[in-house]
Amino acid sequence: MVSLKQSSKNYVVLKPRKGGIMDLFWLLLTSDIEKSKFVDCPEGNEEADFKRRWLIFLSIVVQKILSFVKKPLAWYGAALEMWLNLLSENGNSLGLLCNLFKGKIVIPDRNSARFKSNTAFMDNRVQLDKNLVYGDNRYCAAFSIMAAKLAYENAAFVEATVKDHWKMEFLGFYNYWNEYQKMATTQAFILRDRRSNDVDLTVVSFRGTEMFDADAWSTDFDISWYELPNVGKVHGGFMKALGLQKKQGWPKEIVETSSRPQVAYYSIRDKLRKIIRENEKVKFIVTGHSLGGALAAIFPVILAYHGETELLHRLEGVYTFGQPRVGDQKLAEFMEKQMSLHNVKFSRYVYGNDMVPRLPYDDERFMFKHFGTCIYYDRFYKGKIVKEEPNKNYFSLKWFIPKIMNSAMEIVRSFTIHQTYGPEYDEGWFLLLFRTIGLALPGVSAHLPQDYVNSTRVGSLETLLTDASNSRSPQLINIK
């Protein structure tokens, strides 16, 4: 068997932990990046463009910083999460103090259905929008973001929400193996909606970038890539998280044994194969927020690469929220053709100045591109379909002041949003505190699922629809 590096003639893999300070600056001075300790690429590969080397430099620096703060960041995130649950279980600060004196403090169980993630404390909504039903033009998007948000919770919380609140079938929560990091780095859950004879919909939801997970943020900032023959260049970190095989690349089938850890792509694909055999009308959608959106975007890429025609025909849509770029222009063209061929809807939602959809970098010198329909919402939740979100690259200085001003206005909106849309849209102190980070790092607080949920529920969207009476006559409508 040959490795992917041996089978792919074109790849650039960054190794941020391999070199030191002098190696880092040497990378900027020489075009022979193949000799750099930080870069793994085919022999003789040169990069004459200084700006491209500068972007590689920035990517490595950010990943080094994230590696340095990984443990304290994870500790802080876990401590904050436990503290918030401790307050919640004991009825706020006063209740905790009273229970302390009584010796009856309730200690949260991290594996229980009551234990919430930091993300859930930002937005505690678990109910689906009851005003939408399957078949409505906004249903799949509104359903998908709730599933994408739910993926951040533990298995018991996810199962209880799916069964008790959504009244749907819970098919499983999975921790998937990453052969390159030798650990379970990818989480996903699957549910099935068969509440009526007219609906048989399976949903695959990938967990995204957790707030205090330095490894996940490092993957977002990584600009490594491999080229798949006749497909295009695909982001290396996302492929590894999805199930790239270290010694084989992407074989169509792998031999599964009881002792071998499951990987995301092959496990989910096989589960979907079994489901579609049960009912010829069953459809499925794939969704995710942030890193989860990237995995949701690449999943049909590998299906198409393997010629999984039957599954692609049953794929009703891909819905991603705050998704980073996953490949080059050739990949985008490949997927546009596949989506058209199999009539798959690919909707990529971007809210405001969200940092992550603007990563990795995309300009005339670099390779990363988006594909699919981009649906962009501003801070007023006014949406429009665009080719690319405004300010498509995060590190653009001319947008720095406008982004800070927009973050300030989002903080002001926090105090009035419950009056505008109702009490379920109220933003608590924890979310408000996190929004202040946007004053220093614009685009971080805009990445939260909160605003994506709001956009799909109360946002207006200008779009072109085809008049049924005149298939060639489009009409501009405003969906409320």
Side-chain angles (χ1 to χ4, degrees), residues 162-174:
V162 171
K163 289 182 175 179
D164 301 337
H165 293 284
W166 298 358
K167 307 301 180 184
M168 298 177 187
E169 297 177 39
F170 175 73
L171 301 186
F173 183 97
Y174 309 97

Side-chain angles (χ1 to χ4, degrees), residues 16-255:
R17 295 179 178 84
K18 292 295 184 180
I21 297 296
M22 294 305 297
D23 299 299
L24 193 58
F25 285 101
W26 181 250
L27 178 64
L28 289 176
L29 297 175
T30 178
S31 62
D32 192 1
I33 62 172
E34 181 264 332
K35 294 182 179 179
S36 171
K37 292 182 180 180
F38 289 112
V39 181
D40 183 11
C41 60
E43 187 175 350
N45 195 333
E46 293 190 359
E47 184 51 76
D49 193 317
F50 176 79
K51 188 171 182 180
R52 288 172 67 100
R53 298 203 306 275
W54 170 249
L55 292 173
I56 293 174
F57 173 90
L58 283 179
S59 177
I60 292 171
V61 168
V62 171
Q63 290 182 74
K64 275 189 168 295
I65 293 172
L66 288 168
S67 178
F68 180 75
V69 302
K70 174 181 176 179
K71 289 185 178 179
L73 193 64
W75 179 88
Y76 176 77
L80 177 61
E81 195 172 67
M82 179 58 75
W83 173 251
L84 291 171
N85 278 279
L86 190 64
L87 290 176
S88 176
E89 287 294 306
N90 290 277
N92 65 42
S93 300
L94 183 59
L96 178 61
L97 187 62
C98 291
N99 286 346
L100 178 62
F101 283 118
K102 295 176 183 178
K104 297 181 179 180
I105 292 180
V106 180
I107 304 299
D109 177 3
R110 284 189 173 275
N111 297 314
S112 76
R114 294 175 60 86
F115 193 91
K116 300 177 183 178
S117 70
N118 288 316
T119 300
F121 280 103
M122 297 280 185
D123 180 2
N124 61 12
R125 290 173 291 186
V126 294
Q127 295 288 0
L128 300 176
D129 188 342
K130 295 180 180 179
N131 295 319
L132 298 175
V133 296
Y134 183 77
D136 291 349
N137 51 21
R138 288 194 301 159
Y139 175 82
C140 284
F143 184 15
S144 293
I145 182 55
M146 289 299 290
K149 185 170 79 76
L150 183 59
Y152 286 99
E153 308 307 315
N154 66 57
F157 190 104
V158 173
E159 182 175 3
T161 299
V162 171
K163 289 182 175 179
D164 301 337
H165 293 284
W166 298 358
K167 307 301 180 184
M168 298 177 187
E169 297 177 39
F170 175 73
L171 301 186
F173 183 97
Y174 309 97
N175 286 290
Y176 288 119
W177 190 251
N178 183 321
E179 287 208 334
Y180 290 79
Q181 295 184 2
K182 296 299 181 183
M183 58 189 298
T185 64
T186 304
Q187 291 76 39
F189 76 88
I190 306 176
L191 65 83
R192 191 170 181 181
D193 182 6
R194 290 193 287 184
R195 291 172 297 171
S196 72
N197 294 330
D198 299 327
V199 179
D200 194 338
L201 181 68
T202 297
V203 178
V204 178
S205 179
F206 290 97
R207 179 179 291 182
T209 307
E210 295 190 81
M211 212 176 305
F212 299 100
D213 186 344
D215 285 332
W217 281 103
S218 183
T219 299
D220 288 335
F221 280 93
D222 189 2
I223 55 176
S224 301
W225 51 265
Y226 294 96
E227 184 168 16
L228 290 178
N230 303 315
V231 174
K233 298 172 183 175
V234 189
H235 190 288
F238 300 149
M239 285 209 295
K240 293 172 185 176
L242 190 61
L244 180 70
Q245 300 295 287
K246 198 168 187 178
K247 295 182 178 180
Q248 300 169 273
W250 283 113
K252 185 166 184 178
E253 306 289 345
I254 61 173
V255 178

Side-chain angles (χ1 to χ4, degrees), residues 287-349:
T287 187
H289 169 262
S290 191
L291 170 61
L295 300 180
I298 296 178
F299 185 78
V301 171
I302 308 303
L303 287 180
Y305 178 62
H306 286 157
E308 296 283 352
T309 304
E310 187 176 7
L311 278 173
L312 288 170
H313 278 314
R314 301 292 189 92
L315 177 57
E316 182 167 301
V318 179
Y319 296 85
T320 71
F321 305 88
Q323 170 216 315
R325 298 183 177 98
V326 300
D328 68 351
Q329 183 61 38
K330 183 178 179 181
L331 175 69
E333 293 171 357
F334 172 82
M335 284 308 296
E336 294 287 354
K337 182 178 179 181
Q338 292 295 321
M339 289 184 293
S340 176
L341 179 64
H342 300 288
N343 194 29
V344 176
K345 184 177 182 180
F346 193 115
S347 298
R348 182 175 63 85
Y349 285 75

